Amino acid sequence: MAEKISAVKGMNDIAAPESAHWEWLEAKVRALMGRYGYRNIRTPIVEPTALFVRGLGEVTDIVEKEMYSFEDRLNGEQLTLRPEGTAGVVRAVVEQNLIYDGPKRLYYMGPMFRHERPQRGRYRQFHQVGAEALGFAGPDVDAEQIAMACDLWAELGLSDVTLEINSLGQPAERQLHRAALIAYLEQHQDQLDEDAKRRLYSNPLRILDTKNPAMQTLVEGAPKLMDYLGEQSLAHFDGLRALLDAQGIAYRINPRLVRGMDYYNLSVFEFVTTALGSQGTVCAGGRYDGLIAQVGGKPAPAVGWALGVERILELLKEQQLLPAVPVPDCYAIIPQREALAQVMPVLRALRAAGVSVQMHAGGADGHGSMKSQFKKADGSGARYALIFGDSELAAGQVAVKPLREGAGAITEQTLFALAQASDWAAQLRQA
Ligand code: ATP
Ligand code: MG
């Protein structure tokens, strides 16, 4: 046998039964987005590298060390597998002029790529659901987006996800704070780790976001950005708080909450849980009023969030909130393979009537005995066996046999006419 080829480290296959949980979550997301008036957008997985360098900022974890960037062999273009979704959406909005007729609410879901150390809740290919509201100045739409995420947790049954909010103010306010922050950190040079030393003058705000436990006391004592905000920024923040309060949404103000990308201003927020170890942020977002102009568009305000699908699913699993994996309504037992020509049209008629039917089909060792077919029927989890035996078929019928207690409307083995499948199909469906 040829040597096996493994998947790329940190990139996972998602197969049944797990994939059913993904589909379930995606369906919940679509329904929720629809209720809030968000429309789906699908952008390419590969974008010009410059989009992320310019959009996310050069001194960010993502751009410095996490991007899968490569040169197109054929034309030398510098390309990158998208590490996040916002930059691509903004590029599309600018390029397609999608907000020419007013603001837009958009959402996406799909894979993202970051070259990180794989561990629980942290992968190299992972998936995000993201919501973006473009052309809105807030804080109303900021509050709406946060409410939308809260509704998703409720819909999924998640309760111990907590909301943290902060304001990053405007660039000029950050400049003032930055000077004070650098002065403070310079006084404590000896306590800075390598990352912090490197960022001291390039991106000191990000030092506040450190995950290094040894630096926690230091960052807790650092000057707070909130104390440098002007009247307008504070009014925006208070407006957000009032609208959260009005909706009964609980939050904690975390003055050290900064985000990994440079594009954020004003409102920033994260939803965190203690149930997933150090990968506790399940959803994060904020306002990015400068980004549209930064990638060449006419200036327009915007706000968005992204959630980590793997982390949400792990949390649901941890809390035993994942739904039972769906099973077919019926398994079709076909003792003689010669009967297939008569049986297959009946199965299609049942499916057309909304019944899920798994047909017995032969394996590598032949069509399969009656006994092995019944075993497969049991293993499939189906509620009914449809038995297409010789005598039933000769009479133009099929025998429907419940495979377990409480299977549904049909409680004992019953014969039905093949020709009228659509008449009795409903009795096979899950109530
Ligand atoms: P972290 O601080 O955990 O690295 P981040 O700030 O880099 O997260 P964002 O860029 O804000 O994350 O992405 C939004 C969400 O996507 C995160 O809150 C998280 O749930 C998820 N996420 C980010 N990176 C990964 C990853 N490598 N694997 C799985 N999920 C991820
Ligand atoms: Mg990260």
Side-chain angles (χ1 to χ4, degrees), residues 198-413:
R198 198 164 42 81
R199 288 188 165 153
L200 182 52
Y201 301 103
S202 59
N203 198 348
L205 194 60
R206 288 299 315 282
I207 298 175
L208 300 180
D209 189 29
T210 178
K211 292 189 172 87
N212 183 354
M215 285 190 26
Q216 294 309 312
T217 329
L218 178 68
V219 293
E220 257 153 52
K224 293 186 173 47
L225 180 48
M226 193 63 78
D227 297 331
Y228 292 80
L229 299 191
E231 221 171 289
Q232 279 195 338
S233 295
L234 286 173
H236 193 279
F237 191 57
D238 290 343
L240 171 62
R241 291 182 57 187
L243 291 173
L244 293 178
D245 292 339
Q247 299 178 90
I249 295 171
Y251 55 86
R252 188 176 82 85
I253 297 173
N254 176 358
R256 293 208 289 115
L257 177 60
V258 298
R259 303 281 312 117
M261 283 68 114
D262 280 357
Y263 53 59
Y264 289 106
N265 69 313
L266 294 173
S267 319
V268 286
F269 51 89
E270 286 191 355
F271 287 92
V272 296
T273 172
T274 51
L276 293 176
S278 52
Q279 268 60 252
T281 307
V282 292
C283 176
R287 185 154 276 287
Y288 51 90
D289 294 338
L291 184 60
I292 296 178
Q294 217 165 299
V295 304
K298 194 168 132 236
V303 58
W305 56 244
L307 69 78
V309 176
E310 284 85 354
R311 291 188 194 176
I312 291 292
L313 287 169
E314 276 160 45
L315 186 56
L316 288 161
K317 185 173 174 199
E318 182 91 14
Q319 305 193 342
Q320 302 182 346
L321 292 166
L322 290 171
V325 168
V327 294
D329 294 319
C330 310
Y331 189 95
I333 291 178
I334 308 152
Q336 307 298 331
R337 90 166 87 214
E338 292 69 29
L340 281 164
Q342 200 181 346
V343 170
M344 289 183 78
V346 179
L347 301 186
R348 287 184 80 198
L350 289 171
R351 294 182 188 120
V355 179
S356 57
V357 187
Q358 195 169 316
M359 180 185 84
H360 179 80
D365 50 358
H367 184 64
S369 68
M370 188 80 157
K371 189 171 161 221
S372 79
Q373 293 197 32
F374 261 108
K375 231 169 131 179
K376 291 222 168 78
D378 274 327
S380 76
R383 292 176 300 113
Y384 296 108
L386 306 178
I387 308 164
F388 294 93
D390 288 347
S391 55
E392 286 91 356
L393 288 174
Q397 293 176 319
V398 56
V400 177
K401 183 183 184 209
L403 290 175
R404 47 199 156 85
E405 204 68 32
I410 302 162
T411 54
E412 56 187 48
Q413 187 158 330

Side-chain angles (χ1 to χ4, degrees), residues 9-28:
K9 188 174 171 207
M11 305 201 182
N12 301 311
D13 303 310
I14 300 146
E18 235 186 293
S19 52
H21 298 141
W22 284 69
E23 290 185 313
W24 168 79
L25 176 63
E26 287 159 6
K28 296 264 187 207

Side-chain angles (χ1 to χ4, degrees), residues 61-62 66 114 116 122 126 206 209 211 260-261 311:
D61 280 346
I62 294 181
E66 295 174 1
R114 295 184 195 178
E116 304 194 66
R122 195 175 291 286
F126 64 101
R206 288 299 315 282
D209 189 29
K211 292 189 172 87
M261 283 68 114
R311 291 188 194 176

